[in-house]
Amino acid sequence: MRVGQNRPKRQKLSDVIVEDVKRWIVAERKQPGDRLPNEKELIELFGYSKSTVREALKALEVRGLVSIRTGPGGGAYLQQVSVDHASEPLRNFLHFHHLDGHHIYQLRKALEPELAVSVVGKLTPEQFGKLEENIRLCTVEPTNEDELRTQREAELAFHTMLAESCPNPVLSFMCRFLNDLLRDLVVYKKALDHHHFGETNVDYHTQLLAAYRKEDADEVRRLMAEHMVDAEHHMHEMEAHIGAKHLLLPSGQR
């Protein structure tokens, strides 16, 4: 055994500063839009070299926590990490795990009804209008694959809009992340052409919107639970159809 083989990996100084800054943000109750201390102040605050502080600021920028602005009034400003920025690395992590609809719907069936109920009474007239427009978009007969893909993405966007109104940020993120995973799965597997699936999605979304207008939480929960079971069923059908087509292809085209 080599000497030091089992020693814990030494943390880079810049990573130490990143963690220190994150703790400082919490302790000081800083918010998106607030400016971090300037470079000189950070050096004095944390006691590290200029190059290490600069590396730490770059790391914070890459992680989406700060935006570096140049010129007058420039500096490092805190920013809210976007859902896309947080979701993409997790989706990349799962990219080679051979996901299928069952993996995603095992969670979606549990989480979507909870999220749906959490939104009851919280939708604004503007949000109702956007949901209605989303449903209208999904009722138009697509004429090509691009329009069909747009409709499939719009069907998921209906759920994303609900997630945006969810008061629980963890539940909201998890459901949006699952929607992103499902969108990736549909696009990569080209699971697009399933007309009946689109019709049932529109039907459930229309019923859900009516239940939201009545602020009927029990009906919202029931409809969303049924919707998820139905959507999983259609997803299984699409995956089976894709698998069958794959087997029929000549070996050189698989």
Side-chain angles (χ1 to χ4, degrees), residues 81-95 99-101 103-105 107-108 111-112 115 149 152-161 163-164 170-189 228 235:
V81 178
S82 70
V83 172
D84 287 342
H85 195 101
S87 171
E88 187 174 2
L90 295 175
R91 285 150 54 204
N92 289 340
F93 167 73
L94 292 168
H95 191 73
L99 293 185
D100 59 25
H103 294 125
I104 296 172
Y105 276 98
L107 281 176
R108 266 197 113 202
L111 298 182
E112 282 284 348
L115 181 139
R149 179 180 290 104
R152 288 291 169 268
E153 291 177 349
E155 289 161 9
L156 288 172
F158 181 93
H159 295 269
T160 298
M161 286 186 233
E164 289 170 350
V170 178
L171 183 57
S172 174
F173 174 76
M174 288 302 300
C175 288
R176 292 180 70 175
F177 169 62
L178 291 173
N179 286 342
D180 287 343
L181 275 182
L182 195 57
R183 184 191 63 219
D184 291 346
L185 197 63
V186 167
V187 170
Y188 292 144
K189 289 192 173 184
M228 290 299 100
M235 191 71 198

Side-chain angles (χ1 to χ4, degrees), residues 36-145:
L36 286 182
N38 62 35
E39 193 175 271
K40 181 180 178 181
E41 291 169 333
L42 286 172
I43 291 170
E44 293 174 353
L45 185 62
F46 296 110
Y48 293 109
S49 69
K50 179 186 292 188
S51 61
T52 302
V53 167
R54 285 183 176 177
E55 187 179 349
L57 288 173
K58 185 63 180 177
L60 286 165
E61 184 180 30
V62 169
R63 297 180 192 191
L65 286 166
V66 304
S67 171
I68 307 296
R69 305 176 193 173
T70 58
Y77 288 82
L78 296 176
Q79 65 178 8
Q80 178 70 50
V81 178
S82 70
V83 172
D84 287 342
H85 195 101
S87 171
E88 187 174 2
L90 295 175
R91 285 150 54 204
N92 289 340
F93 167 73
L94 292 168
H95 191 73
F96 295 105
H97 282 69
H98 307 294
L99 293 185
D100 59 25
H102 172 72
H103 294 125
I104 296 172
Y105 276 98
Q106 191 172 15
L107 281 176
R108 266 197 113 202
K109 287 188 296 184
L111 298 182
E112 282 284 348
E114 295 301 322
L115 181 139
V117 171
S118 76
V119 176
V120 173
K122 296 180 175 62
L123 295 173
T124 66
E126 181 183 5
Q127 288 167 324
F128 272 116
K130 288 181 178 179
L131 290 167
E132 287 173 346
E133 176 59 23
N134 175 277
I135 293 172
R136 188 202 64 76
L137 173 64
C138 295
T139 60
V140 178
E141 187 69 27
T143 60
N144 54 53
E145 187 172 299

